[in-house]
Amino acid sequence: IEISNICRRNCLYCGIRAGNTKPERYRLSIPELLDTAKLAKNLGYGTVVIQAGEDLGVRAEVIAEAVARIKFELGLAVTLSLGERSDEVYRLWFQAGADRYLLRFETSNRNLFEAIHPPAPGEPAGNRLELLKRLRCIGYEIGSGVMAGIPGQTWDDLARDITMFVEQDLDMIGCGPFLPHPQTPLGRIFETDRTTGLYKPGPLTNEQRRFFEEHGIPVPDPMDQVYVDEYLPFKVIALARLVCPMANIPSTTAIATIDPKQGRLLGLSRGANVVMPNLTPTKYRKMYEIYPNKAASFESPEETHATAVRQITELGRTVGQGPGRSPKFSQRTV
Ligand code: 5AD
């Protein structure tokens, strides 16, 4: 459930960055959020994810109350994905009943991360790897992940990302391909393949080189730059599964976006064990465009749900029941 597309940050890749004046901005009211959670309950879900841009108007106390109601009145496990907040706020939400927190570290290359994810004005650069450790200490089941194929990302970086999944002892790992969004600085500067919409790197043009230098993005050797093709996200999922056998790994929306017919199924066949169907009310979906042509942008929650069930059934699997706790978390001893 995407509850707000308002964001105070200006990430160079993301369509809902503060500097993008195109999308109409929205924030769900609490009754709308609770109704959506009720719908999830009625459709048979045991858990919901509440996600938003970094919107400080999504007030900590208000979220705490909504979390408590979804958890204790509806009996659903609650995952939050609301960006970088203070330890106090994370603790408040955990005490209110939140079970899990999702915060992608996006890339383990610190210079690249800081370049594409500038700090909010007047604040120091956030360290998401540190935040994840703190969330873990508070007691959350923790989820993270990366984008594969960010301009400036090398194969070595991506290999380190995958070892970082183990180091961080992640309970959940969500990854997808970088998809250039034309209303973002990174999306404007990199040509995309017309048919697939994927970013195909080649030697940098002078303009791209200047862009890298201006934004402090490390310039990789063209041979080292991660190349996004239809296989890349599956390679990342498969490797994540091999190194983290007990983690929950979703077949993500970005994967369904690059291959609307098969993407989600292929993800589930190649290491993923979870899907995250979008239940955001239809009228808000198009406004949560973090990348172009996001899957299911024009569907109703019921349609999206039915598709997910059909796809899982087609694979010969059964839809899991219950809160969806990661097997990894259940085995945790420290
Ligand atoms: N392409 C692919 N993934 C993106 N995200 C944000 N913008 C893009 C993009 N242009 C991912 C980030 C973020 C998650 C919510 O969506 O990894 O953490």
Side-chain angles (χ1 to χ4, degrees):
I1 309 170
E2 295 149 344
I3 61 166
S4 166
N5 71 346
I6 297 170
C7 192
R8 66 201 190 104
R9 308 199 71 144
N10 248 323
C11 303
L12 303 192
Y13 48 91
C14 182
I16 63 169
R17 67 199 304 271
N20 186 6
T21 53
K22 290 263 172 63
E24 199 185 318
R25 302 286 171 167
Y26 76 91
R27 185 185 296 139
L28 254 66
S29 68
I30 292 303
E32 283 175 311
L33 167 59
L34 295 176
D35 281 350
T36 309
K38 258 180 228 147
L39 174 69
K41 169 89 185 171
N42 292 337
L43 290 171
Y45 288 75
T47 175
V48 287
V49 182
I50 298 172
Q51 183 168 78
E54 278 198 19
D55 175 6
L56 295 181
V58 168
R59 300 238 332 278
E61 303 72 33
V62 174
I63 287 298
E65 199 187 318
V67 165
R69 294 188 59 183
I70 294 169
K71 168 101 174 202
F72 299 109
E73 288 174 23
L74 298 177
L76 299 176
V78 179
T79 301
L80 297 177
S81 181
L82 302 172
E84 298 169 28
R85 295 282 188 123
S86 68
D87 284 18
E88 270 157 38
V89 170
Y90 288 151
R91 234 176 270 120
L92 175 77
W93 290 339
F94 185 74
Q95 281 156 6
D99 299 274
R100 313 183 182 128
Y101 205 92
L102 304 183
L103 186 69
R104 288 193 182 175
F105 61 84
E106 315 292 3
T107 167
S108 57
N109 178 332
R110 185 78 200 150
N111 291 335
L112 179 59
F113 177 76
E114 285 186 16
I116 64 172
H117 181 87
E123 292 179 24
N127 185 333
R128 290 191 164 189
L129 294 172
E130 279 309 312
L131 284 180
L132 282 164
K133 289 198 181 111
R134 299 222 288 273
L135 286 159
R136 190 182 191 286
C137 276
I138 292 171
Y140 284 100
E141 208 177 315
I142 52 167
S144 191
V146 297
M147 288 182 288
I150 308 165
Q153 185 185 43
T154 66
W155 292 107
D156 279 351
D157 290 334
L158 194 54
R160 264 189 295 272
D161 293 347
I162 292 165
T163 59
M164 190 59 79
F165 300 158
V166 182
E167 228 169 274
Q168 288 278 337
D169 198 29
L170 298 179
D171 302 300
M172 192 263 200
I173 303 163
C175 297
F178 162 73
L179 298 168
H181 189 306
Q183 291 157 19
T184 64
L186 268 178
R188 269 193 291 274
I189 199 91
F190 288 97
E191 287 255 2
T192 62
D193 184 285
R194 256 170 232 272
T195 49
T196 59
L198 297 179
Y199 155 57
K200 299 271 169 157
L204 293 181
T205 62
N206 286 339
E207 194 196 6
Q208 289 169 340
R209 187 172 289 279
R210 264 200 308 280
F211 179 89
F212 270 57
E213 280 159 14
E214 235 171 70
H215 288 89
I217 300 177
V219 178
D221 187 290
M223 292 303 291
D224 294 339
Q225 166 68 49
V226 173
Y227 186 93
V228 186
D229 63 14
E230 62 194 293
Y231 298 110
L232 178 70
F234 301 119
K235 290 179 187 164
V236 176
I237 284 192
L239 288 167
R241 172 56 69 209
L242 289 172
V243 296
C244 298
M246 305 301 276
N248 272 344
I249 301 181
S251 186
T252 54
T253 307
I255 295 177
T257 298
I258 60 171
D259 182 352
K261 282 215 188 78
Q262 297 276 354
R264 184 192 266 151
L265 289 171
L266 290 174
L268 287 172
S269 311
R270 294 170 176 172
N273 66 323
V274 172
V275 293
M276 300 167 78
N278 191 339
L279 298 183
T280 308
T282 315
K283 65 173 168 180
Y284 298 123
R285 287 192 186 196
K286 319 164 257 321
M287 302 181 212
Y288 206 89
E289 197 195 50
I290 52 184
Y291 44 76
N293 306 315
K294 189 162 145 253
S297 286
F298 296 94
E299 294 175 0
S300 69
E302 288 84 353
E303 284 167 327
T304 308
H305 170 67
T307 305
V309 173
R310 180 172 43 75
Q311 290 181 331
I312 292 168
T313 312
E314 264 171 32
L315 274 179
R317 305 202 191 158
T318 45
V319 178
Q321 304 286 313
R325 174 175 280 196
S326 158
K328 172 99 199 98
F329 184 77
S330 304
Q331 289 185 342
R332 200 188 271 184
T333 51
V334 282

